[in-house]
Amino acid sequence: MPEVVVHRKRTVSSALMMLLALAIGAGGYLLVALNQTGTFPADWIMSFGPWQFGGPWYAGVAGWFAIGGLAWAVTRWRLPYADPLILPLVFLLNGLGISMIYRLDQADSLHSAELQLFWLVLAILGFSAVVVLLKDHRRLQRFTYVWFLAGVILLLSPLLPVIGKANHGARIWIELGPFSFQPAEIAKIVLSIAFASYLVERRDVLAMAGRRFAGIDFPRPRDLGPILIAWGLAMVVLVFQRDLGTMLLFFGLFVMMLYVATERPSWAILGIGMVVVLGGLGYAFFDHVQTRFSSWLNPFSDYDRNLQVISAQFGFAWGGLFGTGWGMGRPNLTPLAKNDFIAAALGEELGLYGLVAIVVLFALMVSRVLKAALASSEPFGKLLATGLAFVFALQVFVIIGGVTRLLPLTGLTTPFVSQGGSSLVSNYLLVGLMLTITHQVRRPQVELADAGEVISLSADATQAIPAVRDQVIADPRPDPADFGARVPGPVTDAAQQPPDAVTETIDTAGEGTR
């Protein structure tokens, strides 16, 4: 009999880690004010369109703890077996991000931190809706092509002439009245579901080997359709939206999930080759791609054009290993320090060690989701968890790699840390889906059987069938030779019946008679 691993709920441990994460976030917020002015923060003010409200600093801290407590309570209520470490890690990263945004507000006199807190409330509402309503992630597998169509529409919607909006050279925004958001943030979740559902159905076909070259079985030409379609969509994003990061994110997601589903390294080799071709074409024909590569390889060749990267390098050098401390540096000198380059601001004031610790937090979160993917017994959950973990890790790697000049710069945001409502809401939806999968993986198998669909038979008609007593012993089988040896005589009615035609009946008392 195979061994069954029963995971503990870890409710107390999760609560303690959640309190620690919330305390670190609040501590960063208080340290900024104490280091700069020697007093507690001033009253906070939140403006949203024509509405404006605020309160003392401790009301903001209390609201921060209340939001975290609500998210934790909903998770423990609906998903008691969910991974106990993921949600505290999310709030720890979110708290560090809001603290740094508040620190940058002190330089430009804006109230971006309060606005980010408002977006956090909306994000927690969406997160709670996913946790409460989505009882089983396997329900998402039914709508493969609906998910794919919705993801493509979201991905390409910024190209629409009325609502599409370009910002800093990239057309990746949608503007509806006073609101603007990046639909690609939602599209990464939708397309992850679509890819997982499609590849579960087609993985046997896509895994078939074609010609063998250099010891590797490459796919058949007839099976190249899906990767060519994904490559074409990536080309559309690169050409018309002028966004290198989004192109890398979605094409890399599809290639990785294709490799995991088929276990064929040839798909990964083809995908890497296609990315190189995309990069080469982009560099040859588009100025914005050339600018990104120039700021990566030789930023000091054009100080005005590469000011962001150069300022970030000076910030890292000024912060050193241990950083200048909360509120003691000058990260506001880097353009867009609250959005794309918040990793540079954190690296300056928390130092190289602090930035590496943040990267480790991201890596720990990804490892917990991958652990659930390995433990999953059904293919859709396994592939979906792997895809969500990979798209999350790839986004972090691309943006932090661009800020540190490990990679060309992209326009992606750092999840849970950068300022931005669409990024924050979409990433909390992603976390809700992650926790749902980990709950299904970690819960005991007995509960899985009890929680399934049960068909009631209470309304069906029943019929009682009388039982036959076991004590009735039949006579020995007659010998045919006895019948043949008999002397002919008068034929009676009983003699006309063959031996096997003699029947046995059971009376109401259960006694056998002949």
Side-chain angles (χ1 to χ4, degrees):
M1 181 177 180
E3 296 183 357
V4 178
V5 178
V6 179
H7 297 274
R8 297 181 181 179
K9 295 182 179 181
R10 301 288 187 184
T11 303
V12 176
S13 300
S14 178
L16 294 176
M17 289 187 292
M18 192 69 181
L19 288 174
L20 178 62
L22 295 173
I24 293 176
Y29 167 68
L30 297 176
L31 282 175
V32 170
L34 291 174
N35 287 338
Q36 289 188 336
T37 64
T39 60
F40 288 108
D43 294 347
W44 58 276
I45 300 175
M46 183 181 296
S47 298
F48 192 77
W51 301 282
Q52 187 177 33
F53 52 93
W57 64 268
Y58 52 82
V61 174
W64 163 250
F65 276 88
I67 294 171
L70 175 64
W72 180 86
V74 171
T75 304
R76 291 292 102 187
W77 168 50
R78 296 297 296 175
L79 308 175
Y81 288 97
D83 190 282
L85 194 58
I86 291 179
L87 193 62
L89 287 172
V90 167
F91 269 86
L92 178 55
L93 292 167
N94 205 171
L96 294 175
I98 293 178
S99 299
M100 179 51 65
I101 294 171
Y102 171 75
R103 183 263 172 274
L104 294 169
D105 283 343
Q106 309 311 304
D108 54 21
S109 301
L110 296 177
H111 297 280
S112 302
E114 290 86 345
L115 182 60
Q116 189 75 355
L117 197 63
F118 173 79
W119 282 113
L120 177 60
V121 174
L122 297 182
I124 293 302
L125 292 178
F127 167 83
S128 301
V130 172
V131 169
V132 172
L133 300 178
L134 185 61
K135 298 180 180 180
D136 192 344
H137 62 277
R138 288 171 291 186
R139 298 179 179 179
L140 304 175
Q141 189 180 356
R142 307 172 185 173
F143 314 104
T144 303
Y145 296 100
V146 174
W147 289 119
F148 182 76
L149 180 61
V152 172
I153 292 175
L154 286 171
L155 186 62
L156 302 181
S157 56
L159 298 177
L160 296 176
V162 178
I163 60 176
K165 177 185 175 183
N167 191 6
H168 300 287
R171 193 179 180 89
I172 56 176
W173 292 86
I174 281 182
E175 190 172 37
L176 299 174
F179 303 99
S180 61
F181 67 97
Q182 290 179 279
E185 294 287 347
I186 303 294
K188 69 183 181 183
I189 305 175
V190 176
L191 289 178
S192 297
I193 300 172
F195 293 160
S197 179
Y198 173 78
L199 292 174
V200 166
E201 298 175 359
R202 303 288 296 176
R203 60 178 179 175
D204 293 335
V205 176
L206 296 174
M208 291 184 177
R211 293 186 177 182
R212 188 175 183 85
F213 178 75
I216 300 175
D217 293 324
F218 283 85
R220 301 175 300 177
R222 72 184 73 174
D223 299 329
L224 296 177
I227 196 171
L228 290 177
I229 293 175
W231 189 79
L233 288 175
M235 179 63 74
V236 170
V237 172
L238 179 64
V239 174
F240 296 101
Q241 294 188 352
R242 304 170 66 88
D243 188 18
L244 185 63
T246 303
M247 181 272 293
L248 289 173
L249 188 67
F250 288 100
F251 187 69
L253 170 66
F254 180 76
V255 171
M256 185 282 310
M257 295 184 72
L258 184 58
Y259 166 66
V260 172
T262 61
E263 300 180 2
R264 293 286 185 183
S266 55
W267 286 113
I269 295 174
L270 288 175
I272 294 174
M274 288 180 170
V275 170
V276 173
V277 172
L278 279 175
L281 293 176
Y283 184 82
F285 294 102
F286 304 110
D287 294 337
H288 67 282
V289 178
Q290 296 176 6
T291 302
R292 296 291 176 87
F293 275 84
S294 175
S295 63
W296 170 42
L297 299 175
N298 190 13
F300 294 95
S301 61
D302 191 336
Y303 190 90
D304 295 330
R305 178 177 291 185
N306 303 326
L307 178 61
Q308 271 187 313
V309 177
I310 295 174
S311 298
Q313 302 304 304
F314 276 107
F316 286 132
W318 183 254
L321 294 178
F322 299 97
T324 61
W326 283 105
M328 303 300 290
R330 303 181 69 187
N332 55 289
L333 297 179
T334 303
L336 298 177
K338 297 179 183 179
N339 307 100
D340 299 352
F341 276 75
I342 196 168
L346 290 168
E348 179 176 346
E349 297 206 338
L350 300 183
L352 179 62
Y353 289 157
L355 184 61
V356 170
I358 292 174
V359 174
V360 170
L361 294 178
F362 282 116
L364 184 58
M365 181 177 170
V366 171
S367 68
R368 303 294 292 189
V369 182
L370 290 177
K371 180 181 178 181
L374 290 174
S376 179
S377 59
E378 47 94 15
F380 177 70
K382 183 184 295 291
L383 195 56
L384 180 57
T386 305
L388 294 176
F390 179 81
V391 74
F392 185 82
L394 182 61
Q395 182 171 349
V396 174
F397 174 71
V398 168
I399 183 59
I400 295 184
V403 172
T404 57
R405 287 185 58 205
L406 181 64
L407 298 172
L409 187 62
T410 62
L412 300 176
T413 58
T414 309
F416 305 112
V417 181
S418 297
Q419 179 189 4
S422 57
S423 174
L424 191 64
V425 172
S426 63
N427 282 300
Y428 267 99
L429 295 178
L430 184 143
V431 169
L433 188 54
M434 287 179 175
L435 290 175
T436 301
I437 297 174
T438 60
H439 170 72
Q440 293 293 335
V441 172
R442 291 167 54 89
R443 67 190 300 188
Q445 296 300 317
V446 176
E447 285 199 16
L448 282 175
D450 294 341
E453 295 183 0
V454 179
I455 300 176
S456 177
L457 301 177
S458 59
D460 292 357
T462 58
Q463 181 180 4
I465 301 176
V468 179
R469 290 186 59 177
D470 297 336
Q471 289 82 1
V472 178
I473 302 176
D475 292 339
R477 178 178 180 271
D479 187 0
D482 296 338
F483 292 91
R486 290 178 180 177
V487 178
V491 179
T492 62
D493 294 338
Q496 294 178 354
Q497 296 183 1
D500 56 354
V502 180
T503 59
E504 181 181 28
T505 60
I506 305 298
D507 60 5
T508 56
E511 298 294 331
T513 60
R514 294 194 62 84

